[in-house]
């Protein structure tokens, strides 16, 4: 066989392999379907995954090109590191095409890929660039230089690089003159182990670095789609070849059952909606009864929410975290006074202030009898700082209040509260479950649009194969944002795997239907 024929066969095999891994088709109905690849999670990536929040203030028009977000007011952003992301697909940049695998991420807004200017250095910080595909501007005749510096923060490090412009191909859609970030520096521990090269943000321009026009905006601005809609179907079957599908321009009816429940966005920036109570079986967890917000995020694998609720859930499903002696110490020292406050009808939100564990500017009511008790108590032998005192106190007040509404006795209430202290998530936020107990664990339900969206134990737990053994983890991790922005939930791939999700930009709403 001649060398020419061998080369042709090799090329054909490569094309076949790529088409088998990443399927993208434009059908007669005008929809663009992008097949997603799914990788298996491992303990290392899950334990390293981190979700945090921080407050930023960047006046619009300040000219701060290093800003990750610009807004007219102080804002709360949340940071993640993508190590626990399972789903990714393929795009190309430049002419001729340079191919990259990217996470299609509704929780961010920029497109970024590693740059050819990201080189291995002595401090090893750029080794992550070295192990992934890199964009080479000099090879593309449609490249336009921008060169403005950019820094993108994540939960465990950050990326830095500069802006460039080129044609981007997503499936059969050619998006012309798209601005994106060429990354020149990647956090070593953060991205070294990822199987994807970059991230394609499907969020809003309001939260994009430099407020550049996101890829998704340019799809409808350049008339590739007639409807300003995209939808996600994630395949949670670990044995399936296709990991899922994102459809641009509409909805694929094969991926869901019944009708979608649509809820309006409550703010621009994130795909953020209002959620109501979170139920364990039919029992309220209380904190979101009056409403919480939730960010629907395809770039996060887990479900993140207030520690006070996550701890209740982990207790109900038997997930074991780290025993918090400090939490129990707050119960021991202040439990009786918290009980008396609530029995007297003192407003729960001021109890920890009156006990001297939390502080705020302004007047507050205090019962004279209980005030004298609080003044006579001292805190001994603890290394906790004041913010930790306050956090534990507020959670305990909340837990006691929930139990009182169920007319539990004092003895039963504090037995339960101490058990919740035992179930506080460990410092990395992950909690283990006995795999043999999964089938008997309760359903956890989110209330969205006055409708219940239950998750079965199989849907909210993660099974991880590790060293010839199976480890089961709770899919719920703590993420605390204080009012008025919080409490906030992050509905990641665990939720999107259970419910087919429509992101309707034209009507600024999100729809959920049971996944097929």
């Amino acid at each position: 066989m001649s060398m020419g024929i061998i080369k042709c066969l090799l090329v054909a095999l490569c094309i076949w392999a790529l088409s088998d891994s990443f399927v993208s088709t434009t059908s007669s109905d005008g929809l663009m379907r992008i097949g997603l690849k799914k990788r298996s999670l491992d303990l290392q990536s899950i334990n390293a995954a981190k979700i945090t929040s921080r407050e930023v203030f960047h006046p619009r028009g300040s000219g701060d090109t290093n800003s990750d977000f610009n807004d007219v007011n102080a804002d709360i952003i949340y940071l993640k590191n993508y190590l626990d992301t399972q789903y990714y697909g393929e795009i190309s940049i430049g002419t001729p095409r340079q191919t990259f695998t990217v996470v299609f991420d509704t929780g961010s807004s920029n497109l970024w890929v590693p740059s050819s200017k990201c080189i291995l250095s002595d401090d090893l910080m750029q080794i992550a660039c070295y192990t992934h595909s890199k964009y080479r501007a000099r090879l593309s005749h449609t490249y336009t230089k921008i060169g403005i510096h950019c820094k993108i923060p994540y939960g465990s490090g950050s990326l830095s690089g500069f802006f460039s412009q080129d044609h981007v191909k997503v499936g059969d859609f050619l998006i012309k003159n798209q601005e994106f970030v060429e990354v020149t520096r990647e956090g070593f521990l953060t991205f070294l182990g990822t199987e994807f090269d970059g991230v394609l943000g499907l969020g809003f321009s309001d939260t994009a670095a430099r407020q550049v026009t996101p890829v998704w905006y340019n799809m409808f601005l350049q008339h590739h789609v007639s409807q300003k809609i995209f939808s996600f179907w994630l395949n949670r079957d670990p044995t399936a070849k296709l990991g899922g599908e994102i459809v641009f321009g509409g909805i694929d009816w094969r991926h869901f059952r019944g009708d979608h429940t649509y809820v309006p966005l409550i703010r621009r920036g994130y795909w953020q909606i209002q959620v109501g109570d979170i139920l364990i079986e039919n029992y309220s967890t209380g904190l979101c009864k009056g409403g919480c917000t939730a960010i629907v995020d395809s770039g996060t694998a887990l479900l993140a929410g207030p520690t006070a609720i996550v701890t209740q859930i982990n207790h109900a499903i038997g997930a074991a975290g780290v025993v918090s002696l400090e939490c129990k110490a707050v119960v021991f020292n202040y439990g009786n006074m918290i009980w008396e406050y609530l029995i007297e009808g003192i407003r729960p939100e001021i109890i920890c202030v009156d006990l001297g564990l939390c502080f705020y500017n302004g007047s507050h009511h205090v019962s004279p009898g209980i005030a004298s008790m609080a003044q006579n108590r001292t805190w001994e032998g603890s290394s906790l700082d004041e913010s930790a005192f306050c956090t534990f106190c507020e959670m305990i007040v909340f837990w006691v209040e929930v139990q009182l509404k169920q007319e539990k006795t004092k003895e039963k209430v504090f037995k339960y509260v101490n058990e919740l202290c035992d179930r506080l998530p460990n410092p990395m936020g992950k909690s283990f479950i006995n795999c043999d107990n999964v089938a008997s664990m309760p359903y956890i339900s989110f209330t969205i649009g006055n409708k219940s969206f239950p998750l079965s134990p199989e849907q909210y737990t993660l099974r991880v194969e590790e060293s010839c053994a199976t480890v089961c983890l709770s899919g719920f991790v703590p993420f605390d944002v204080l009012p008025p922005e919080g409490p906030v939930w992050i509905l990641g791939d665990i939720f999107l795997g259970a419910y087919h999700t429509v992101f309707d930009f034209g009507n600024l709403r999100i729809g959920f239907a049971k996944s097929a």
Side-chain angles (χ1 to χ4, degrees):
M1 187 179 293
S2 70
M3 287 300 295
I5 295 175
I6 291 174
K7 286 180 180 178
C8 288
L9 285 174
L10 287 173
V11 169
L13 282 171
C14 288
I15 293 171
W16 174 82
L18 283 172
S19 63
D20 187 56
S21 300
F22 299 98
V23 181
S24 64
T25 57
T26 304
S27 61
S28 57
D29 54 12
L31 306 182
M32 168 56 65
R33 296 171 171 84
I34 306 293
L36 300 178
K37 188 83 170 175
K38 181 171 68 174
R39 73 177 182 93
S40 299
L41 290 177
D42 55 60
L43 273 180
Q44 182 179 356
S45 65
I46 291 174
N47 286 333
K50 182 187 286 186
I51 302 174
T52 58
S53 66
R54 78 176 191 187
E55 186 174 288
V56 293
F57 176 73
H58 296 310
R60 192 180 302 275
S62 65
D64 179 8
T65 56
N66 294 328
S67 301
D68 30 87
F69 295 105
N70 292 305
D71 205 346
V72 291
N73 297 308
D75 199 2
I76 298 293
I77 64 171
Y78 80 99
L79 311 175
K80 54 193 175 181
N81 69 3
Y82 291 101
L83 275 182
D84 61 350
T85 299
Q86 286 182 275
Y87 300 91
Y88 54 95
E90 187 178 276
I91 66 166
S92 64
I93 304 176
T95 312
R97 294 166 52 186
Q98 301 176 40
T99 303
F100 302 90
T101 54
V102 295
V103 174
F104 289 90
D105 177 26
T106 59
S108 66
S109 303
N110 289 96
L111 168 62
W112 65 259
V113 294
S115 171
S116 60
K117 294 181 173 59
C118 179
I119 355 178
L120 186 63
S121 67
D122 293 336
D123 64 5
L124 295 181
M125 288 301 290
Q126 283 104 315
I127 195 170
C129 287
Y130 186 74
T131 58
H132 292 97
S133 298
K134 293 184 285 188
Y135 172 75
R136 291 169 169 81
R138 61 183 176 81
L139 298 181
S140 174
H141 62 75
T142 48
Y143 160 75
T144 300
K145 181 179 178 180
I146 296 177
I148 297 174
H149 177 74
C150 173
K151 188 173 184 179
I152 304 175
Y154 289 109
S156 57
S158 62
L159 302 174
S160 57
F162 57 90
F163 279 93
S164 293
Q165 181 179 291
D166 208 335
H167 295 350
V168 174
K169 194 165 189 181
V170 181
D172 290 336
F173 293 163
L174 182 65
I175 296 97
K176 296 182 178 180
N177 304 319
Q178 175 66 48
E179 287 190 50
F180 65 100
V181 178
E182 286 193 55
V183 170
T184 55
R185 190 176 185 84
E186 297 186 9
F188 171 68
L189 294 176
T190 308
F191 293 102
L192 180 59
T194 59
E195 296 184 25
F196 57 88
D197 302 313
V199 170
L200 192 155
L202 295 171
F204 293 81
S205 60
D206 309 56
T207 53
R210 285 188 67 245
Q211 294 186 296
V212 302
T213 305
V215 172
W216 160 242
Y217 281 41
N218 277 328
M219 280 188 186
F220 58 78
L221 289 173
Q222 297 181 21
H223 308 293
H224 292 296
V225 293
S226 56
Q227 295 187 76
K228 300 176 182 180
I229 288 176
F230 60 90
S231 53
F232 267 91
W233 168 69
L234 301 183
N235 191 351
R236 302 297 287 181
D237 181 357
T239 63
K241 226 174 188 181
L242 182 64
E245 195 170 74
I246 177 172
V247 178
F248 290 104
I251 305 168
D252 190 331
W253 62 269
R254 295 171 298 179
H255 292 328
F256 63 92
R257 298 191 187 102
D259 296 324
H260 286 82
T261 297
Y262 284 94
V263 289
L265 300 185
I266 60 173
R267 59 175 290 189
R268 287 282 292 265
Y270 292 121
W271 290 96
Q272 192 164 353
I273 59 174
Q274 187 88 2
V275 297
D277 206 359
I278 287 82
L279 305 176
I280 302 172
E281 291 295 8
N282 295 317
Y283 293 99
S284 168
T285 54
L287 187 62
C288 293
K289 211 167 185 177
C292 288
T293 65
I295 296 169
V296 185
D297 181 10
S298 62
T300 295
L302 305 172
L303 288 161
T307 300
I309 296 181
V310 169
T311 303
Q312 290 182 72
I313 292 171
N314 283 340
H315 175 266
I317 68 179
V322 173
V323 175
S324 174
L325 296 178
E326 292 89 349
C327 177
K328 287 188 171 182
V330 174
V331 176
F332 178 79
N333 282 277
Y334 293 94
N336 286 327
M337 286 185 284
I338 289 171
W339 176 271
E340 295 297 331
Y341 268 114
L342 290 170
I343 293 296
E344 283 198 12
I346 303 297
R347 297 203 321 272
E349 62 269 21
I350 67 170
I351 289 177
C352 296
V353 177
D354 287 337
L355 290 176
L357 298 180
C358 296
F359 301 92
Y360 86 111
N361 295 324
S363 60
H364 57 272
H365 169 79
V366 61
S367 167
I370 295 179
S372 63
M373 290 170 57
Q375 289 167 4
N376 291 331
R377 299 300 297 266
T378 58
W379 186 269
E380 298 176 356
S382 176
S383 61
L384 280 176
D385 60 23
E386 291 175 352
S387 63
F389 288 153
C390 181
T391 299
F392 284 128
C393 179
E394 288 181 335
M395 281 198 296
I396 291 163
V397 168
F398 170 71
W399 293 334
V400 173
E401 183 189 14
V402 169
Q403 291 297 293
L404 271 174
K405 288 178 180 177
Q406 297 177 20
E407 300 182 347
K408 299 286 181 67
T409 65
K410 184 177 180 180
E411 182 183 357
K412 287 185 176 179
V413 167
F414 282 104
K415 181 177 181 291
Y416 175 73
V417 168
N418 277 297
E419 288 174 352
L420 289 181
C421 285
D422 286 341
R423 299 299 184 183
L424 282 169
N426 66 42
M428 293 307 299
K430 310 302 181 295
S431 297
F432 292 88
I433 298 166
N434 185 336
C435 294
D436 295 334
N437 296 338
V438 170
S440 61
M441 293 189 320
Y443 276 67
I444 309 297
S445 301
F446 287 79
T447 306
I448 303 174
N450 295 318
K451 183 177 178 181
S452 179
F453 288 82
L455 296 174
S456 70
E458 292 77 15
Q459 289 171 326
Y460 65 70
T461 56
L462 297 170
R463 286 181 177 266
V464 179
E465 301 295 331
E466 194 75 19
S467 302
C468 302
T470 301
V471 177
C472 291
L473 297 170
S474 167
F476 292 91
V477 296
F479 173 63
D480 292 300
V481 177
L482 296 175
E485 291 82 6
V488 174
W489 278 89
I490 308 298
L491 302 183
D493 294 341
I494 285 178
F495 193 86
L496 271 65
Y499 294 98
H500 179 267
T501 307
V502 177
F503 296 84
D504 186 347
F505 183 86
N507 295 298
L508 295 177
R509 62 180 185 168
I510 299 180
F512 303 100
K514 190 173 181 181
S515 185

